[in-house]
């Protein structure tokens, strides 16, 4: 089976550091444009999880930047293709900026345990930007696709700086989905992955996760990405229309083909089997819940 290539980033390609976020990263100028190199913390699998999430997104026609596996100075990471062209007057408006500008009292500086980061507040904030009904409907449906992706891969890091709007000279739209490294069980040891698989408790594992979006401001923890979609799809079914048939086209062999292309030196066979089982389990659950 083919394996995803691993690109080597040269020191001469390195530009300035990217200050936003908690993980070390820097910009890279390559012949095909601007990329962000993100270091994978040792033992985390953040590089291959980010790559796989992008591949699943593209198969499902969910907007997400291109991701390539990479190394810099002997350290693992991945390259994320920039989806903002500053030379063309484009800019990324992060979710916390959108929320603080449209939801009274929203604290844009509180990154974690931000219980005001609810679906209701996100929709209110987005409606403040897209006041025309059809534009708002389109934006809400796009954001719903990102929630489906999170549920599928178990992405627990959709905090308010990990989504945003893209401002262009022609207008504003929802930015592509980005930052998916906290997914696919990449944080688990091989032993833990095997224990969950042997116990046939993947559905429970997926539903116990704590995400970055809350169902209610009074909740102590963010909802698991899977439970979030199950709940929100009942409240806003129009935003999730057609997803049952889309997920039905994501066959088991597609999931396996995409996953097993991760090089052996980056992810163990147990980690890849776990990721495959996660996605298939989540897909099956979503197909029961969505229309």
């Amino acid at each position: 089976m083919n394996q995803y290539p691993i690109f080597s980033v040269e020191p001469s390609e390195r530009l300035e550091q990217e200050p936003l976020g908690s993980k070390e990263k820097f910009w890279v100028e390559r012949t095909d444009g601007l990329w962000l190199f993100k270091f994978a913390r040792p033992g985390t699998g953040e590089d291959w999880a980010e790559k796989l999430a992008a591949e699943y997104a593209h198969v499902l026609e969910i907007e997400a930047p291109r991701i390539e596996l990479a190394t810099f100075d002997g350290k693992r990471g991945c390259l994320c293709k920039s989806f903002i062209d500053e030379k063309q007057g484009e800019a990324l408006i992060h979710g916390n900026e959108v929320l603080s500008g449209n939801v009274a009292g929203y604290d844009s500086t509180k990154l974690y345990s931000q219980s005001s980061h609810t679906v209701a507040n996100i929709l209110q904030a987005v409606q403040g930007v897209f006041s025309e009904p059809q534009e708002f409907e389109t934006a809400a449906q796009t954001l719903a696709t990102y929630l489906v992706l999170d549920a599928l891969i178990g992405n627990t890091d959709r905090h308010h700086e990990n989504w945003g709007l893209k401002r262009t000279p022609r207008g504003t739209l929802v930015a592509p989905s980005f930052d998916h490294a906290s997914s696919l069980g990449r944080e688990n040891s091989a032993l833990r992955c095997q224990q969950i698989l042997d116990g046939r408790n993947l559905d429970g594992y997926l539903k116990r996760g704590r995400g970055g979006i809350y169902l209610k401001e009074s909740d102590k923890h963010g909802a698991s990405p899977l439970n979030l979609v199950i709940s929100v799809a009942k409240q806003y079914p129009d935003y999730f229309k057609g997803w049952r048939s889309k997920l039905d086209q994501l066959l088991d062999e597609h999931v396996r083909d995409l996953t097993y292309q991760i090089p052996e030196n980056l992810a163990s066979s147990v980690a890849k089997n776990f990721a495959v089982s996660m996605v298939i389990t989540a897909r099956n659950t979503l197909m029961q819940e969505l229309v």
Side-chain angles (χ1 to χ4, degrees), residues 38 41 48 69 81 93 120 131 168 177 201 219 244 268 282:
K38 302 167 69 174
R41 291 175 293 187
W48 62 259
L69 299 168
K81 186 78 162 64
I93 310 168
S131 55
T168 78
S177 183
N201 194 30
D219 289 345
R244 181 186 174 91
S268 68

Side-chain angles (χ1 to χ4, degrees), residues 18-272:
E18 169 55 56
L20 194 64
S22 59
K23 300 166 188 173
E24 187 182 359
K25 49 182 109 48
F26 60 85
W27 288 104
V28 175
E29 184 71 57
R30 297 176 70 87
T31 56
D32 55 352
L34 195 64
W35 297 71
L36 185 66
F37 179 85
K38 302 167 69 174
F39 286 97
R41 291 175 293 187
T44 63
E46 290 170 335
D47 47 355
W48 62 259
E50 189 95 59
K51 171 64 174 174
L52 277 182
E55 296 301 317
Y56 296 139
H58 297 155
V59 166
L60 291 166
E61 299 180 332
I62 297 173
E63 268 204 273
R66 180 180 159 196
I67 301 290
E68 298 292 354
L69 299 168
T71 61
F72 176 78
D73 194 24
K75 296 179 181 177
R76 285 170 47 175
C78 63
L79 285 164
C80 174
K81 186 78 162 64
S82 177
F83 52 84
I84 298 294
D85 190 340
E86 293 182 351
K87 294 177 182 177
Q88 296 298 320
E90 297 178 351
L92 176 63
I93 310 168
H94 286 92
N96 59 334
E97 300 173 76
V98 182
L99 283 153
S100 63
N102 293 280
V103 176
Y106 189 88
D107 184 357
S108 64
T109 65
K110 188 178 181 181
L111 188 60
Y112 296 106
S113 300
Q114 174 50 288
S115 62
S116 295
H117 190 223
T118 63
V119 171
N121 280 342
I122 291 169
L123 290 175
Q124 177 185 326
V126 171
Q127 192 164 28
V129 177
F130 301 99
S131 55
E132 199 278 322
Q134 187 54 55
E135 288 185 348
F136 168 68
E137 189 82 4
T138 299
Q141 288 172 347
T142 301
L143 288 169
T145 69
Y146 303 162
L147 299 187
V148 172
L149 177 62
D150 288 347
L152 194 68
I153 63 176
N155 177 29
T156 57
D157 200 30
R158 185 71 69 178
H159 57 70
H160 63 197
E161 287 184 0
N162 275 355
W163 65 272
L165 305 181
K166 180 178 177 179
R167 187 172 59 217
T168 78
R170 298 172 299 282
T172 301
L173 61 157
V174 176
S177 183
F178 57 90
D179 277 358
H180 309 115
S182 297
S183 60
L184 297 165
R186 55 85 181 155
E187 76 285 356
N188 293 321
S189 66
L191 176 61
R192 179 60 180 148
C193 285
Q194 196 61 57
Q195 287 174 337
I196 297 170
L197 291 173
D198 291 344
R200 300 183 184 277
N201 194 30
L202 263 173
D203 189 65
Y205 171 82
L206 287 164
K207 290 180 177 177
R208 283 194 302 273
R210 296 175 180 176
I213 300 177
Y214 288 67
L215 286 170
K216 303 189 301 292
E217 292 196 48
S218 58
D219 289 345
K220 290 184 179 180
H221 306 290
S224 79
L226 189 56
N227 283 336
L228 185 73
V229 170
I230 291 171
S231 177
V232 174
K234 289 182 173 69
Q235 292 178 272
Y236 308 99
D238 288 349
Y239 300 159
F240 294 87
K241 276 184 179 176
W243 267 101
R244 181 186 174 91
S245 59
K246 271 192 176 184
L247 290 169
D248 191 38
Q249 296 169 33
L250 182 65
L251 304 179
D252 290 8
E253 52 262 39
H254 294 157
V255 178
R256 294 189 186 99
D257 287 347
L258 292 171
T259 306
Y260 294 150
Q261 290 183 65
I262 295 295
E264 293 295 330
N265 64 317
L266 298 189
S268 68
S269 58
V270 174
K272 287 187 272 193

